[in-house]
Amino acid sequence: MLDWIATSNVEGVGMEHSLFLGSKTKRDGLSLAFSYCGISQTQAGHSYGPSLTDSWVFHIILSGTGEVHTSSETYHLGSHDGFLIHPNDITRYEASQDTPWAYLWFAMKGEAVPQYLDEMGFPHDTVAFSVDQSTPFLRILSSTLYHASGSISDELELNALANHFLSVLSRHLNSVNQNGSPNQLSDIVKRAISVIRNEWHPGISAGWVSKRINVDRSYLSRLFHKEMNMTLKSYIDRLRLSHARDLLGMTDWSVAEIAAECGFNNEEALTRSFHDTQGVTPTEFRHSRNGIVNNLDIGIDFLRAAFDADIDRENE
């Protein structure tokens, strides 16, 4: 299913084949607005994160299995399950080695989002949920492909689709799963992650975190690496890059401004780190995120037809 979609390098282990549609933020203060969306087929063991975002990002799993890791719990999810990344939450997710998952995602902003979720019965800390079918969400994603010009008309259409996504979710929501499996993390590592999440600032560092929680830096670094399978510095660097990706894709800030906002010493440091992990420069990444990313050089009309055919087959 959907093996024709574009190939994209992403930070983490393994690879995913994905189609991505982004839209720059043009105006503040909207109660509900489209941010970005996409669909991916991951390879075995592909992981993403840790990441930070300022949007509400809904994922609907189409096939396969994987795990979602928050600072406190792990969720084992499969077809027709979903997971929600909250603004400013630190989240990591990973595809199964045996049955890697395919999923779509839809991100939005606005003060109306948590209000609507509350009306749907989502507790404020909900991560995992399930739906009775995925076809309606594929239809919404297919519809976004017709509105990628960047015009005011298409901006309004995409914002309308963000509203429609929540409407469809309210109709097809099957259950809200509040509890995952507790992560086996020490209190020290949990405190470090909590400080990073709640007190994030551009100059944050491993040394600052160790002082903030009053733990020896070397001991914290060893413990963090043992429990998280990455160093504390790498964890913070990935969050910086995640924030930089969001700002590159969703704002018109200069690369130098984004470097300063994300805690890099200068524009060159961000460019070097970005190229090492993403395979492209920040400027190249920004150009690719302004509209539909289609690295296979397949006509967008074919992609739309492929979406529609996939949905028709599900309805037979």
Side-chain angles (χ1 to χ4, degrees):
M1 177 180 179
L2 297 168
D3 56 356
W4 41 264
I5 51 188
T7 301
S8 173
N9 284 307
V10 293
E11 181 184 352
V13 179
M15 292 282 292
E16 65 178 353
H17 304 281
S18 62
L19 178 74
F20 179 96
L21 170 63
S23 176
K24 290 186 183 299
T25 301
K26 296 183 178 179
R27 51 197 104 247
D28 297 323
L30 296 179
S31 62
L32 200 156
F34 172 86
S35 293
Y36 52 87
C37 66
I39 187 168
S40 292
Q41 171 63 64
T42 62
Q43 293 186 2
H46 168 77
S47 65
Y48 182 84
S51 64
L52 275 172
T53 179
D54 60 357
S55 298
W56 300 81
V57 190
F58 298 85
H59 292 70
I60 306 293
I61 301 167
L62 307 173
S63 63
T65 59
E67 295 181 347
V68 178
H69 305 274
T70 68
S71 58
S72 60
E73 294 181 308
T74 294
Y75 300 83
H76 305 273
L77 305 175
S79 179
H80 289 178
D81 287 332
F83 59 97
L84 171 60
I85 298 177
H86 297 240
N88 302 317
D89 265 5
I90 298 176
T91 307
R92 181 173 64 88
Y93 42 101
E94 182 177 358
S96 163
Q97 289 285 349
D98 299 323
T99 55
W101 51 15
Y103 52 77
L104 63 84
W105 68 90
F106 201 103
M108 61 189 73
K109 295 180 182 180
E111 62 183 16
V113 180
Q115 297 172 13
Y116 284 134
L117 290 176
D118 183 62
E119 290 290 330
M120 284 185 231
F122 274 74
H124 75 279
D125 56 350
T126 293
V127 173
F129 58 92
S130 66
V131 295
D132 58 22
Q133 56 180 298
S134 58
T135 300
F137 301 97
L138 280 168
R139 287 194 183 279
I140 295 173
L141 194 63
S142 175
S143 296
T144 65
L145 300 182
Y146 293 87
H147 304 293
S149 72
S151 68
I152 180 60
S153 174
D154 278 355
E155 179 185 345
L156 291 167
E157 291 286 358
L158 289 172
N159 288 345
L161 285 169
N163 280 273
H164 186 46
F165 184 95
L166 290 179
S167 172
V168 167
L169 180 61
S170 70
R171 291 198 301 271
H172 294 281
L173 184 65
N174 199 33
S175 67
V176 176
N177 305 311
Q178 298 183 40
N179 299 314
S181 303
N183 287 337
Q184 300 303 310
L185 298 178
S186 63
D187 288 341
I188 289 176
V189 170
K190 287 180 180 178
R191 283 165 53 202
I193 293 174
S194 178
V195 163
I196 292 169
R197 173 190 173 186
N198 296 320
E199 301 182 32
W200 177 263
H201 59 273
I204 199 168
S205 65
W208 183 89
V209 173
S210 65
K211 290 180 181 178
R212 180 66 181 80
I213 65 174
N214 197 28
V215 174
D216 178 76
R217 177 177 175 174
S218 296
Y219 176 72
L220 174 60
S221 294
R222 290 195 302 272
L223 187 63
F224 199 94
H225 187 271
K226 177 182 177 182
E227 297 186 9
M228 298 296 294
N229 201 31
M230 71 180 73
T231 66
L232 179 56
K233 181 181 183 302
S234 294
Y235 189 88
I236 293 171
D237 286 346
R238 290 191 184 191
L239 290 175
R240 284 199 176 103
L241 285 169
S242 170
H243 190 34
R245 283 197 303 268
D246 273 357
L247 293 176
L248 285 165
M250 304 302 161
T251 75
D252 291 319
W253 291 11
S254 71
V255 176
E257 289 173 325
I258 291 172
E261 173 66 20
C262 296
F264 292 91
N265 291 333
N266 49 49
E267 180 178 347
E268 290 72 23
L270 170 58
T271 298
R272 184 169 56 253
S273 181
F274 210 91
H275 190 274
D276 287 346
T277 58
Q278 309 296 314
V280 294
T281 67
T283 299
E284 290 169 337
F285 179 88
R286 165 168 274 167
H287 288 161
S288 76
R289 269 11 186 200
N290 188 17
I292 296 173
V293 176
N294 174 16
N295 297 330
L296 292 185
D297 295 323
I298 295 174
I300 196 62
D301 288 338
F302 173 81
L303 290 175
R304 291 166 176 157
F307 264 114
D308 293 340
D310 229 11
I311 292 169
D312 290 340
R313 282 195 297 271
E314 284 200 7
N315 288 332
E316 289 178 353

